[in-house]
Amino acid sequence: MSFKRNIMITGGAGFIGSHVVRLFVNKYPHYHIICLDKLTYAGNLANLKDIEQAPNYTFVKADICDYERMLTLIQEHNIDGIIHLAAESHVDRSIKDPFTFARTNVMGTLSLLQAAKVHWEAQPNRYEGKLFYHISTDEVYGALELTHPEGIEPPFSTTASSGEHHAAYGTDFFYETTKYNPHSPYSASKASSDHFVRAFHDTYGLPTIVTNCSNNYGPYQFPEKLIPLFINNIRNRKPLPVYGKGENVRDWLYVEDHARAIDTIFHTGKIADTYNIGGFNEWKNIDLIKVLIKTVDRLLGNPEGHSIELITYVTDRAGHDLRYAIDSSKLKNELGWEPSLQFEEGIEKTVRWYLDNQSWLDNITSGDYQAYYDVMYNNR
Ligand code: NAD
Ligand code: TYD
């Protein structure tokens, strides 16, 4: 079968990657989507169960740090577009084991960049019609100042009726022009990979785009991150470990909105450019946790406030960034992308999904999900 494009999506078995793979496989039957993933603890083929039989989908288990393998795969599939999401992504793990983050996020990205460069430079039309699209995070910008507005009660919509955006907890946002100032080993490794991507454009002319997105939430997120961890703990009546005073602020975006942004940028973004992606949706952790508790209790039929007692304040994360807030106006003004979901709607959908898919959560927490590759690809 001949396809119009051959697109490699790395980290496609992870949280965001699986939504991007699903969107591309369903929306573009004339593209061949090669989902490449090492299947670390965070990779789960059950995230892709509904599309694994699609004729335009291929899964490859591989490590992006394996340069020879990356080159061979890119050549064999004649890849013309790479959407690079594979990474170690959890800040707490990076504090315990920074080497793994440098290896995957920095050296892995470098190995993919070099493999793409070698293959594309050998083509008659070289870089024409090619794209290396690198998915990064707002955490590379560091942390913003946190102020406490008087008399404002959550939820904090940052969209004024005029349509202009106002920062809920400070006077500023992260812009595409904000200087990099990473604090955690995770964000330092992502910042380094962003620099390598831009260096490959500036030095060799490799067609690249970088996007920096705020915190994502939604189905298929590994339950070590705040929202799925807390939903799972509420349902199992386990403590909810709130770091510090729960005052830190994050800007939350529904994962399918991120996947739509990636689609828009992959097809219409300007080469060598950078776009910030975010929901203008700042929440203090403790306020968000209270909304989660209320929603889970309601959907489980518990009396209101039933799970508040599970909140447990614990020692703060080392170097815990106080506030993230993305200004994504450039993406809206230049490419027309906007988030589609209000936060309350997104949280309701998310909680319902985890409660309706408890076996997915149970398989992860028991470790059973990791056998799925052998069942699907080795023993068939
Ligand atoms: P995730 O941890 O859920 O998934 C990462 C995936 O990468 C997993 O499937 C894992 O198996 C795979 N992987 C890890 N090391 C690999 C290697 N060496 N070779 C091949 N595959 C490997 O992460 P996520 O939350 O889906 O994040 C995806 C990307 O988006 C990351 O680059 C992250 O930095 C970025 N990002 C995430 C968020 C967020 O809120 N989750 C926000 C902004 C940007
Ligand atoms: P997380 O989901 O790890 O994302 P990130 O650190 O990349 O923003 O955490 C979101 C926020 O929630 C962050 O401020 C840390 C906090 N947090 C807790 O208070 N308790 C927890 O158990 C976790 C995982 C996070």
Side-chain angles (χ1 to χ4, degrees), residues 11 13-17 36-40 42-43 62-65 85-89 104 135-137 186 190 213-216 221 225:
F15 165 48
I16 303 172
L36 182 143
D37 202 292
K38 183 182 174 184
L39 299 180
T40 65
D63 184 340
I64 55 165
C65 300
L85 297 108
E88 290 292 337
S89 67
T104 293
I135 308 298
S136 192
T137 167
Y186 164 63
K190 290 296 289 186
C213 189
S214 63
N215 284 63
N216 284 215
Q221 187 167 32
K225 306 274 168 69

Side-chain angles (χ1 to χ4, degrees), residues 245-305:
K245 293 184 181 148
E247 296 266 296
N248 303 62
V249 170
R250 296 291 181 263
D251 177 1
W252 294 93
L253 180 69
Y254 191 67
V255 63
E256 287 179 2
D257 278 332
H258 188 189
R260 272 197 313 107
I262 290 172
D263 178 20
T264 301
I265 293 160
F266 181 80
H267 287 97
T268 60
K270 213 166 99 208
I271 300 295
D273 219 338
T274 289
Y275 301 90
N276 277 353
I277 308 173
F280 287 109
N281 180 42
E282 292 178 65
W283 283 81
K284 222 184 246 194
N285 289 343
I286 193 64
D287 294 329
L288 167 56
I289 289 162
K290 287 179 183 160
V291 172
L292 268 184
I293 290 175
K294 205 169 165 177
T295 312
V296 180
D297 274 343
R298 176 167 49 78
L299 293 178
L300 287 177
N302 295 332
E304 189 165 343

